[in-house]
Amino acid sequence: MGPALPEVHERRELERIAVDVAREAARLVVEERPEHLRVARTKSTATDIVTEMDQRAQDLLRDRLGRARPQDGFLGEEEGGATGGSGITWVVDPIDGTVNYLYGIAAYAVSVAAVVGDPAVPGSWAPVAGAVVNPTNGEVFHAHVAGGAWLEMPDAAPRRLELHGAPPLAQALAGTGFGYDAVRREWQARVLLHVVPQLRDIRRIGSAALDLCAVAAGTLDCYFERGLNPWDMAAAWVVVAEAGGLVTGLTGGPPDSSMVLAAPRGLHPELASLVRSAAEEAGDEPPLGQAAE
Ligand code: LIP
């Protein structure tokens, strides 16, 4: 049996907190963006960058969540985590789509999720509430388990997101992405060679959280990507699930770093079989951290 699901009133409260702190961090990354934004450091590769605003936004999220719920754990993309005793861990990506943020491309998001289970162990955790805020247009996606998925836009009434039906695969507009390691990008390109002829077209937006929320909102028909971390997908996963979509790994289990597949229920099996056969065609991914062939 999986980790216990908190009661509905607590799930609602977790969703409200996620929305409030994500909105505040969204304001910070827009209003306090330095005129000459620089790369503060790099992580897995030279293109896997961290700006000072990624760290500042994470520090703000950690401070606010720690005040609101001191017993909870915290896992963020950037430095600074904490274990908790409440059974809830906050999994945050202060700026999902950091490269877009650096280049001034209006497609990045603050992602905040409350999860049960251990987010450090693939397949052993799941989100119970979450919020994804796009600071550039004010879109706020949010959900809690069994509470439905919602989209709030400035000056508009909140809209419930509900997926009905799906196009056939050949007419599906799919989102995907590429990793920071050249070897991975080479493998992902090989998968795409096989996938693209079978779909309407591909969109590379540059933020997994926004890609997944686009599936929930119907502005993308499906999404797949290899190499995501829990913070890239946690909040948007519960938004897609509450909109009636499915978010899984390559073989139908929980999503993890080897693959995330998201689509409405009517399209998911076709997408899964297409990406599975493309991955087989592409062969095993060589060890990362080496020069691409
Ligand atoms: C990004 C993801 C995106 C992926 C990028 C990167 P980050 O997250 O949202 O889908 O293609 O390689 O992982 O690093 O901006 O938080």
Side-chain angles (χ1 to χ4, degrees):
M1 194 157 81
L5 186 65
E7 297 291 322
V8 62
H9 67 87
E10 187 178 2
R11 297 198 303 271
R12 241 187 242 119
E13 176 62 5
L14 292 167
E15 181 184 10
R16 186 194 61 72
I17 293 170
V19 168
D20 288 354
V21 301
R23 278 185 197 270
E24 190 178 352
R27 277 195 300 278
L28 177 91
V29 298
V30 170
E31 292 167 6
E32 305 213 12
R33 179 195 165 105
E35 200 187 335
H36 304 293
L37 179 68
R38 271 181 279 278
V39 172
R41 61 190 168 87
T42 59
K43 296 184 285 188
S44 60
T45 70
T47 56
D48 184 1
I49 57 152
V50 183
T51 74
E52 65 176 89
M53 295 308 291
D54 292 87
Q55 192 63 53
R56 283 186 60 194
Q58 177 160 317
D59 295 345
L60 178 144
L61 289 168
R62 188 169 177 210
D63 174 74
R64 300 297 186 267
L65 292 167
R67 290 167 198 246
R69 291 186 48 111
Q71 309 309 323
D72 294 350
F74 182 88
L75 172 67
E77 173 166 8
E78 311 310 346
E79 284 163 5
T83 50
S86 66
I88 294 287
T89 300
W90 292 96
V91 177
V92 312
D93 192 336
I95 306 180
D96 184 50
T98 299
V99 173
N100 285 348
Y101 182 71
L102 180 71
Y103 279 77
I105 299 169
Y108 54 87
V110 178
S111 175
V112 176
V115 313
V116 290
D118 182 354
V121 181
S124 77
W125 63 278
V128 296
V132 173
V133 176
N134 180 337
T136 65
N137 63 10
E139 283 181 340
V140 181
F141 297 89
H142 56 90
H144 72 261
V145 168
W150 299 86
L151 167 57
E152 294 189 40
M153 305 274 285
D155 315 318
R159 175 161 73 91
R160 182 156 189 169
L161 302 176
E162 289 173 300
L163 291 169
H164 300 291
L169 192 66
Q171 294 184 26
L173 184 64
T176 194
F178 303 91
Y180 289 118
D181 188 293
V183 169
R184 170 146 297 155
R185 289 196 299 278
E186 202 261 337
W187 185 85
Q188 289 166 320
R190 279 211 300 258
V191 166
L192 268 191
L193 269 180
H194 187 82
V195 164
V196 171
Q198 319 279 332
L199 295 166
R200 171 194 293 268
D201 202 343
I202 289 280
R203 292 291 179 269
R204 200 297 191 239
I205 292 169
S207 159
L210 292 180
D211 285 322
L212 286 161
C213 287
V215 172
T219 48
L220 281 176
D221 295 312
C222 57
Y223 167 75
F224 63 96
E225 186 163 356
R226 178 182 179 85
L228 296 184
N229 294 290
W231 45 77
D232 297 314
M233 64 170 112
W237 172 4
V238 66
V239 172
V240 175
E242 284 301 313
L246 265 184
V247 182
T248 73
L250 198 55
T251 54
D256 61 20
S257 62
S258 66
M259 191 60 75
V260 174
L261 301 171
R265 290 175 183 280
L267 179 57
H268 193 279
E270 283 183 282
L271 175 73
S273 105
L274 173 63
V275 177
R276 262 199 307 276
S277 57
E280 272 156 34
E281 286 269 333
D284 291 341
E285 185 183 63
L288 301 184
Q290 323 212 348
E293 281 152 25

